[in-house]
Amino acid sequence: MTPPALPPTVAAHVPTGILIDGAWRPAASGRTFTVSDPGTTESLFDVADAGSDDALDALTAASNAFPEWRATAPRVRSELLRAVFETITARTEDIAALVTAEGGKPLAESRAEVAYGADYIRWYAEQAVRFEGLARRAPSGTNHQLVLRRAVGPALLITPWNFPIAMIARKVAPALAAGCSVVIKPAQLTPLTTAYVAEIIRAELADRGLPTGVINVLPSASARSISGPLLSDPRLRKLSFTGSTEVGSALLKASADTVLRTSMELGGNAPFLVFEDADIDAAVTGAVQAKMRNAGQTCVAANRFLVHASVAEEFTAALTVAFDKLVVGHGADEGVTVGPLIEEAAVDRVQEVVAEAVDGGARVRIGAERPDRAGYFYNPTVLDRVSPDLRVITEETFGPVAPVVTFGSEDEAVALANSTPFGLVAYAYTRDIGRVLRLAESVDTGMLGVNRGLVSDASAPFGGVKSSGLGREGGEAGIEEYLDSVYVAI
Ligand code: NAD
């Protein structure tokens, strides 16, 4: 198959097999599945389709490598991660081309994702030598207490398609820094970037004489044939999942039998609050960022625009003008600012929720249509007069649609913001610092962006409350997910 959107220099270096114990190989079944470019619908590569036998082989490799990796000096683990960071950064253009080819996002966004993903690897290279324990005299005075930190063990890392380098970097970097070995199950729709990055890590391990079973990768078209046998195997000690709340909840249930350590980065339904004292120009700039990154397909995408009635028309009109300037097209084409959705079903779903909103009385300010071109595109859309009980508000749209709902008071805004089972992130535009502090106390989310459309940072704890998840990625907290405490009474 000829990969049309990929420079041949990149295409020649994309592993399409399964990585187990330092070697890329075909699936035990011999099966493959096809990865396509959502901007053209054309096929890119056939990739090995791992099944349960491969999954168990990968876990065997990870558990065999774990004791040596856990005992490896933190400085050595740190230097390995630093070298991986340097290589990824040096190959930004190639990796960005791959991210765009399999995921569709515009090249500028793909480059930003590479930098953002690499930043987690750098951060955990720095943290690998800094995790701390405790030593103290017991309050009774009769003995001393030591608390040591120890790697949890082999970890299964399952990632979604929307950030094929960043999502895996946020897991693999703290896992390796802590001393865990890993089995990675990338998303079926975008396994190529993960394979490319895993090969960089494999090569660094091999060059340094470190155990190659530390990283194993299982692309698969049947996720359950991977998670099923691994979650019931007592050798697996940790699951870190990013994806939908529905799948996360099923995996939590499946993890109960072995009482597995789990972290869950799940769905969002972010409110974007614009108060009467907001800088409207800044709010519009932030709204475009928070809504349109990856064509609206991010867990932190602003899903509901809650705007004070007194500034609603000014904000909505300016947002409509800003959306009108966006350029929809193939992510590799010059000047494009909005790429395709990931697959046909995603476009169908967006069309459905928009049609339902319009039937329910919403007004289309711009968009609400599919452009006439190949690929899974949908035009940037602004809706106002939207009733808050419609699915475009109550569910994660995962597309380039901005529905505007008005409110009359701060209390009403907070009640609307909290009227969802999700709690990943909220955005608020206001000049009132007192209000900012009240919102930080009252809006039920794990993160709050204040006068900013972007919150995520490798050095800060990313994660949600309520149905948006358990645990944090990034910052000092991210490595805790891969460490146990061992209390020693002396
Ligand atoms: P998804 O839940 O469908 O899939 C995520 C991963 O789980 C994929 O690798 C998939 O193959 C795998 N999977 C699916 N069913 C499985 C099963 N039964 N057992 C084991 N693995 C299974 O999600 P998606 O469509 O890839 O991603 C979009 C979702 O991810 C959105 O809800 C988005 O909000 C969420 N997300 C959350 C974050 C976060 O940090 N909170 C980040 C990115 C995406």
Side-chain angles (χ1 to χ4, degrees):
M1 245 177 257
T2 328
L6 269 182
T9 47
V10 186
H13 293 103
V14 179
T16 56
I18 290 168
L19 176 62
I20 295 180
D21 204 9
W24 293 94
R25 66 184 211 196
S29 66
R31 280 197 303 266
T32 59
F33 65 94
T34 303
V35 179
S36 304
D37 174 353
T40 60
T41 78
E42 284 169 26
S43 302
L44 291 169
F45 282 101
D46 285 341
V47 173
D49 183 6
S52 43
D53 290 345
D54 304 298
L56 289 171
D57 284 354
L59 182 55
T60 299
S63 11
N64 290 344
F66 174 61
E68 187 182 340
W69 184 241
R70 173 170 67 176
T72 298
R75 169 94 54 221
V76 171
R77 295 202 295 260
S78 165
E79 285 170 357
L80 172 108
L81 287 170
R82 179 73 203 195
V84 171
F85 161 76
E86 304 284 356
T87 307
I88 289 174
T89 304
R91 297 199 204 157
T92 295
E93 283 309 306
D94 287 359
I95 302 174
L98 205 47
V99 171
T100 292
E102 64 177 345
K105 64 183 63 152
L107 266 179
E109 280 190 38
S110 296
R111 288 187 192 107
E113 187 191 334
V114 175
Y116 168 71
D119 211 16
Y120 281 86
I121 296 173
R122 174 170 55 185
W123 173 260
Y124 286 109
E126 291 157 356
Q127 294 300 103
V129 291
R130 309 222 187 292
F131 48 89
E132 289 169 4
L134 176 80
R136 72 173 166 213
R137 199 164 166 227
S140 62
T142 55
N143 63 294
H144 284 82
Q145 301 175 333
L146 273 186
V147 181
L148 307 178
R149 313 309 313 284
R150 194 164 75 186
V152 170
L156 172 61
L157 314 179
I158 303 180
T159 50
W161 49 264
N162 58 351
F163 289 93
I165 176 164
M167 294 300 105
I168 198 61
R170 293 202 320 196
K171 299 185 189 304
V172 88
L176 297 195
C180 293
S181 53
V182 300
V183 175
I184 298 169
K185 210 300 281 168
Q188 178 185 346
L189 293 163
T190 59
L192 305 175
T193 310
T194 304
Y196 188 95
V197 171
E199 170 54 20
I200 293 174
I201 300 174
R202 184 210 63 77
E204 283 294 343
L205 285 162
D207 286 354
R208 289 156 193 256
L210 294 166
T212 46
V214 162
I215 180 165
N216 305 277
V217 183
L218 301 168
S220 179
S222 111
R224 258 180 233 197
S225 67
I226 306 297
S227 61
L230 295 190
L231 294 180
S232 56
D233 191 314
R235 292 175 299 169
L236 187 75
R237 299 308 313 141
K238 166 79 192 175
L239 166 66
S240 177
F241 172 79
T242 300
S244 61
T245 296
E246 188 190 353
V247 174
S249 164
L251 292 174
L252 276 172
K253 289 180 190 128
S255 301
D257 285 345
T258 59
V259 194
L260 194 63
R261 276 281 292 274
T262 54
S263 1
M264 296 278 151
E265 295 286 351
L266 307 178
N269 181 355
F272 189 102
L273 301 154
V274 183
F275 288 93
E276 62 275 28
D277 59 348
D279 175 338
I280 297 297
D281 289 344
V284 169
T285 304
V288 173
Q289 274 184 325
K291 176 74 252 181
M292 296 307 294
R293 220 158 40 107
N294 205 15
Q297 305 168 106
T298 77
C299 54
V300 289
N303 200 56
R304 308 171 280 154
F305 290 83
L306 311 179
V307 186
H308 191 272
S310 66
V311 292
E313 179 49 34
E314 185 187 354
F315 173 80
T316 310
L319 188 65
T320 303
V321 169
F323 273 27
D324 198 27
K325 291 185 184 146
L326 297 170
V327 180
V328 175
H330 192 284
D333 289 344
E334 197 62 34
V336 164
T337 51
V338 183
L341 301 190
I342 191 68
E343 58 184 346
E344 186 65 27
V347 183
D348 290 347
R349 214 193 95 74
V350 171
Q351 282 182 310
E352 205 180 290
V353 291
V354 169
E356 184 190 288
V358 171
D359 284 350
R363 175 170 63 167
V364 177
R365 299 292 292 254
I366 190 169
E369 64 202 351
R370 198 175 175 164
D372 182 19
R373 58 176 297 155
Y376 310 123
F377 293 94
Y378 194 79
N379 284 340
T381 298
V382 177
L383 306 172
D384 68 357
R385 300 180 183 164
V386 181
S387 160
D389 56 351
L390 293 168
R391 276 201 301 160
V392 74
I393 297 292
T394 59
E395 293 180 10
E396 192 181 27
T397 301
F398 244 55
V401 180
V404 179
V405 173
T406 56
F407 64 81
S409 69
E410 187 180 310
D411 285 349
E412 195 190 338
V414 171
L416 277 169
N418 288 341
S419 62
T420 167
F422 300 99
L424 189 58
V425 64
Y427 303 90
Y429 277 75
T430 176
R431 292 180 166 105
D432 179 345
I433 186 69
R435 187 186 341 252
V436 168
L437 296 174
R438 287 193 298 277
L439 294 175
E441 297 281 356
S442 60
V443 176
D444 295 334
T445 55
M447 299 175 285
L448 176 65
V450 178
N451 299 328
R452 285 182 63 85
L454 285 175
V455 297
S456 191
D457 191 302
S459 60
F462 184 105
V465 299
K466 295 165 49 181
S467 296
S468 289
L470 300 168
R472 293 291 180 269
E473 289 186 333
E476 282 78 8
I479 200 165
E480 298 293 326
E481 307 289 339
Y482 299 90
L483 291 170
D484 280 327
S485 287
V486 183
Y487 157 52
V488 186
I490 306 174

